[in-house]
């Protein structure tokens, strides 16, 4: 069996045939903060240790991403926190982001944290600020490492992790050179490859409870036996490469279809919101018109009531005047009769005053003509009023007749129904 040594970040693993085992480690459940990475020494065969580390990280990333995609497509299930390959994927992703990271000088010691790298993405992608703000506001996360882990999980659930990695790789000359040393994973071609591999994870549906998980703990251990036993760790053949390319093409087609469907749904929602705004505006205008119409109706009703009151007042006033005029005419008639009776009595005695009396009589007759004319006018007015009253009585009689007819019809209908 050929023996080969693989450098994987902070620890060494040895591949002996189809089996992988850890060497030079007393306890596999180590903590990263307790192990300080020394300067890599050159291998006896002259190979660059950083290149070996990058290659190992890339190979492990390929295996994990392939396992995640295959399990999701085969079983069609949603991945959660308990899925071991998903947990190990985040561990490898932390190794990728930590590789070649410049030390952040502190008061007591220097720490390598990639949270500041993720935090700076919002300068290039403003939509990433939402994830950053959400992570900062989580009360159960107190360390930069925990914030970085929460950030990666939120980005994966939003299916935007590959987009942010692609953005970092495209702007590595301006963004990443301040955080990484030369030869780091993110600055080399392996970073471009990992950004392309992460695109396939957009087909995954993940549901992870970040608030209830302790993300401030040290980095866990990768169980390589899940991928390197029983002949699983072999060189990738052309058939497997073609099969992977085919699956990747299928995944990309699904991603494009989902993005197009999402854009279509977004446009539909925008159109519906615009229509809703138009309908709401029309409804407000109709309510305003209805209120104006109601106010107009109330105003017209008040005007009708006022006119009816004025009509009643005028009618009552004319009736009183007619009664007073009739009383005056009756009194004047009685006075005239009394005067004429007295004149007949005194006619014999007043013959010698005939001329004066005749003149007085003419005056009285003129006045009488005036009174008679007034009486005639009043009689005409009375006839008109009587005629109006008769017409109203006829109308009332007609209405009563119609009411009787309706009652008769209703009685007939009732009898028919009986």
């Amino acid at each position: 069996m050929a023996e080969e040594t693989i450098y994987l970040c902070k620890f060494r693993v040895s591949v002996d045939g189809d089996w992988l085992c850890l060497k030079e480690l007393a306890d596999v459940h180590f903590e990263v903060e307790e192990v300080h990475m020394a300067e890599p020494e050159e291998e006896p065969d002259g190979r660059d240790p950083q290149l070996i580390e990058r290659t190992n990280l890339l190979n492990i990333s390929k295996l994990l991403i392939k396992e995640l995609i295959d399990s999701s497509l085969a079983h069609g299930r949603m991945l959660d926190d308990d899925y071991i390959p998903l947990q190990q994927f985040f561990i490898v992703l932390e190794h990728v982001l930590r590789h070649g990271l410049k030390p952040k000088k502190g008061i007591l010691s220097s720490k390598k944290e990639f949270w500041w790298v993720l935090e700076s993405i919002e300068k290039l992608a403003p939509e990433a600020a939402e994830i950053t703000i959400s992570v900062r506001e989580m009360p159960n996360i107190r360390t930069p490492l925990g914030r970085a882990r929460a950030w990666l999980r939120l980005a994966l659930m939003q299916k935007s992790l590959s987009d942010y990695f692609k953005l970092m790789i495209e702007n590595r000359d301006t963004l990443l050179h301040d955080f990484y040393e030369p030869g780091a994973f993110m600055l080399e071609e392996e970073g471009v490859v990992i950004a392309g591999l992460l695109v396939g994870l957009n087909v995954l549906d993940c549901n992870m409870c970040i608030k209830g998980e302790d993300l401030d703990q040290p980095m866990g251990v990768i169980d390589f036996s899940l991928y390197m036993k029983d002949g699983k760790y072999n060189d990738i053949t052309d058939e497997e490469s073609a099969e992977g390319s085919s699956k990747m093409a299928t995944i990309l087609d699904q991603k494009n279809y989902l993005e197009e469907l999402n854009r279509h749904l977004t446009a539909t929602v925008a159109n519906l919101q615009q229509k809703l705004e138009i309908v709401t505006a029309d409804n407000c205008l109709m309510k305003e018109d209805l209120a104006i119409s109601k106010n107009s109706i109330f105003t017209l009703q008040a005007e009708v009531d006022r006119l009816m009151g004025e009509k009643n007042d005028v009618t009552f006033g004319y009736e009183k005047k007619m009664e007073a005029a009739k009383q005056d005419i009756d009194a004047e008639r009685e006075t005239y009769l009394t005067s004429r009776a007295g004149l007949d009595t005194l006619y014999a005695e007043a013959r010698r005053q005939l001329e004066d009396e005749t003149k007085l009589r003419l005056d009285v007759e003129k006045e009488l003509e005036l009174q008679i004319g007034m009486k005639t006018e009043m009689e005409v007015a009375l006839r008109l009023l009587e005629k109006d009253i008769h017409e109203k009585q006829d109308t009332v009689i007609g209405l009563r007749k119609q009411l009787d007819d309706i009652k008769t019809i209703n009685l007939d209908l009732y009898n028919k129904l009986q």
Side-chain angles (χ1 to χ4, degrees), residues 214-225:
D214 189 6
L215 300 177
D216 296 327
Q217 294 298 323
M219 190 180 303
V221 176
I222 304 174
D223 186 6
F224 294 98
S225 61

Side-chain angles (χ1 to χ4, degrees), residues 117 168-169 171-172 174-180 186-187:
V117 181
M168 285 192 293
I169 297 301
N171 298 273
R172 56 188 173 185
T174 57
L175 179 65
L176 300 182
H177 273 291
D178 296 335
F179 297 99
Y180 290 97
M186 297 295 291
L187 298 179

Side-chain angles (χ1 to χ4, degrees), residues 282-312:
D282 294 340
N283 191 17
C284 293
L285 293 175
M286 292 177 67
K287 286 182 179 179
E288 292 178 358
D289 294 340
L290 180 60
I292 293 171
S293 301
K294 287 183 178 180
N295 293 332
S296 300
I297 291 172
F298 293 151
T299 304
L300 293 175
Q301 187 66 34
E303 185 70 18
V304 169
D305 295 338
R306 185 181 64 81
L307 292 176
M308 290 296 294
E310 291 180 358
K311 177 185 176 184
N312 294 331

Side-chain angles (χ1 to χ4, degrees), residues 92-108:
V92 172
L93 198 60
E94 290 180 31
H95 282 294
V96 168
L97 291 171
R98 283 177 178 273
H99 187 267
L101 191 66
K102 291 181 180 179
K104 190 72 175 180
K105 298 298 182 181
I107 298 176
L108 300 177

